[in-house]
Amino acid sequence: MTVNGEKILMRFVGIFGAIAVSTTLAAQGQAQTLFAQDVLQEGDAAEVTQTPEFSSQEVVQEDPRLPLVQEWSVDNANALLAVIEAIGTEGLDPADYRPDLLREEIARGAGSELNTRASGAFTWLVEDLRDGRTPMEARRQWFVVDPDSDMLPTGELMDEALTTGNVAGVLASLAPSHPDYAALRDALAETPEAQVERRRMIRANMDRWRWLARDLGGQYLITNVPEYQLRLTVNNQIISTYRTIVGAPGRTATPQLAETVEGVVFNPTWTVPQSIVRGEGLGNRVLNNPRWARSQGYTAERGANGWITVVQQPGPSNSLGRMKLDMPNPHAIFLHDTPARNLFNSDNRARSHGCIRVERALELAMTVAILGRGASRDEAVEISTSGDYTRVPVERTMPVYITYFTMGVDIDGNLRNFNDIYGRDAPVLAALDAPRVGNRARETDEEVIEIVEDARTTVG
C-alpha cells in the first residue's frame, strides 16, 4: 500500500521527537536507557510504502516473448543517442555505448542494422543504470543479489520505451530512488572536470547505489560500514541513528548483505566459540572454577567426545549484551548489543569479529519488535527487563542493508568521504576506468566466511 510519505514522517516525529518516557534498566552496574523518546503503542506500527521482495534464490530468466532486439524508428534512435551523449551526468561514460556507431546507423535510416545497434546500446544502458557497471569480481565481499533485473526486465523496458516514444523517461526511471544517490549526482554536476580524483570517487559511490535494489522499501535498517552508523529509515527519511562497531580489517571484515530481521532476541545467550573454549582454555577454567564461572554467567558441559561446550547465560556481563536482531544468513552476521559501551566513543570502531554492535541497542530492539507487531510497548519493556532469554518473532519483517560507501551523506546531512577501512575502493575505481564488461555475473563466487563472533575487541 502506498501512502503519503510526509504524513508518515509526521507520525514518526510525534512518536520519537517528544521526550515522554524514560525507563532505565539497571542491573549490577550496567544501565541502558530504554526509549528516551515516546514509544509506539500497540497497533501503532507505521504505514509505509510497500517493501520490495528480494532474495538470494534462483534468478528469473528474461521473458522470451519480448526479444532484446526490437524495431527502432529514427526518432526513437535519436532520443537514445541524446541519452547516451548526456549519460555522464549519471556517472557513466558515453563512449561505452558507442554513440559514433549509433549515429552512423541513424544516418542510414531505419532497418535491421539500426534495430540491432540501438537495441544493443539500450540494453547496455539498462544493465549499467539498473544493475551497476562494476563487474562482480570487483565488488569485494558483496553478497547482495540485486532483484531489479527480475522486476524490470530489459525486454519489457525496451518495449515500453519504443511503444510510448519516451526512451529518455524509461531509462531515467532506473536511477536509484534513494536521496543519497541524487546528492552524489548533484555533487558530480558541481565538481569541475579538473578535479579528477573527486569525480572518480563520486562515480564509484553512485555505482554502489546501483548494486542495491532501486527501491529499498518503505521501512528498513541501513548501515554504512565505514561511517560506523546505523539508520532506521521510513520512506527514505531517517527516523533514528545509532553508532556501530564493525568488523576489523582482514578475515573478520563485515561483508555487504541484504537480509531480513525475522525476530528480536532479548537477553540472549552466547555460545562461546571453540577457538576460545579449547584454544584459550576457557572450558577447563569454567569446569574447574564454578564460583568464578557463575560470576561471569558461564555454564559448561563436556560431551561424549570430550569437547566442552560453554554457554554464557543472559546477564549484565553477557558478551552479546541485552539483545540481538535475528536475521538468518550464511555468514552468521547479526546486529547486537555489547556490555563494552564505552567503545562507541572511539574514532576507530572497526573492532569486532564481523558482527555489528549497536549503541542504544535495547531502544532499537524494542522499536523493531513494536514496528514488527511482535510485541506491544508494555510487553517489550517487560520482556527486556525480565532477564530471561526471549525470542520475539515479528509479523512485519524488516530489511537490513549492510552497505559500504566511502563517499555519501552523513547523519548530519553533509556529503563527505569516509575512510576506506577495508581497501574496497581500488577494484571499483579500476573497473570504472577499464572497458565495459558484458555478460556480468549477478552473484559473487567469493568465499562465504561464516563469522564466529567471539564478541571481543580485535584491535586497540
Side-chain angles (χ1 to χ4, degrees), residues 26 35 39 81 93 118 128 150 158 179 181 208 213 247 250 335 346 361 365-366 386 401 413-414:
F35 292 116
V39 232
L81 180 61
D93 185 355
D128 293 355
D150 298 332
M158 192 182 305
Y181 177 84
R208 283 178 165 130
L335 279 64
S346 304
M366 295 175 71
S386 70
Y401 301 95
N414 301 313

Side-chain angles (χ1 to χ4, degrees), residues 62-68 70 155-156 159:
E62 191 77 40
D63 187 343
R65 295 171 296 177
L66 293 169
L68 295 182
Q70 299 182 27
E156 290 184 12
D159 179 68

Side-chain angles (χ1 to χ4, degrees), residues 39-51:
V39 232
L40 294 170
Q41 301 299 317
E42 184 174 10
D44 202 23
E47 298 176 86
V48 294
T49 56
Q50 185 159 351
T51 298

Side-chain angles (χ1 to χ4, degrees), residues 258-337:
E259 302 298 342
T260 303
V261 175
E262 297 181 357
V264 181
V265 177
F266 291 95
N267 307 306
T269 58
W270 176 50
T271 301
V272 184
Q274 288 297 312
S275 60
I276 301 174
V277 174
R278 300 178 68 195
E280 300 180 15
L282 179 65
N284 287 323
R285 187 180 182 193
V286 170
L287 289 175
N288 296 330
N289 297 274
R291 180 176 297 178
W292 173 85
R294 282 195 301 272
S295 71
Q296 299 301 310
Y298 290 123
T299 60
E301 291 183 2
R302 189 186 297 274
N305 60 2
W307 282 38
I308 301 171
T309 300
V310 177
V311 177
Q312 191 177 34
Q313 300 302 313
S317 60
N318 186 281
S319 294
L320 299 184
R322 295 290 187 179
M323 78 85 178
K324 73 173 185 177
L325 298 187
D326 188 9
M327 38 188 280
N329 62 87
H331 306 263
I333 290 289
F334 52 90
L335 279 64
H336 68 89
D337 188 16

Side-chain angles (χ1 to χ4, degrees), residues 174-194:
L174 300 176
S177 63
H178 200 282
D180 287 13
Y181 177 84
L184 286 165
R185 182 171 53 199
D186 292 344
L188 184 66
E190 296 164 1
T191 303
E193 295 284 347

Side-chain angles (χ1 to χ4, degrees), residues 194-260:
Q195 296 183 22
V196 176
E197 290 307 311
R198 176 174 169 81
R199 291 181 63 86
R200 292 177 76 224
M201 289 302 303
I202 294 172
R203 293 178 62 225
N205 285 282
M206 289 176 72
D207 208 50
R208 283 178 165 130
W209 277 110
R210 292 189 281 261
W211 305 352
L212 291 163
R214 178 186 175 275
D215 181 0
L216 301 184
Q219 180 175 285
Y220 57 89
L221 293 167
I222 185 168
T223 180
N224 181 23
V225 169
E227 188 186 7
Y228 308 127
Q229 292 284 348
L230 172 72
R231 296 161 170 82
L232 170 61
T233 303
V234 175
N235 294 342
N236 284 332
Q237 300 289 333
I238 299 172
I239 302 305
S240 191
T241 64
Y242 307 85
R243 284 178 289 184
T244 61
I245 295 168
V246 302
R251 196 169 174 83
T252 58
T254 302
Q256 274 61 82
L257 308 171
E259 302 298 342
T260 303

Side-chain angles (χ1 to χ4, degrees), residues 17-60:
I19 296 178
V21 178
S22 179
T23 305
T24 300
L25 171 64
Q28 300 181 22
Q30 298 291 332
Q32 278 195 77
T33 298
L34 308 187
F35 292 116
Q37 300 90 354
D38 189 10
V39 232
L40 294 170
Q41 301 299 317
E42 184 174 10
D44 202 23
E47 298 176 86
V48 294
T49 56
Q50 185 159 351
T51 298
E53 297 295 328
F54 64 92
S55 72
S56 301
Q57 305 303 313
E58 193 72 25
V59 300
V60 178

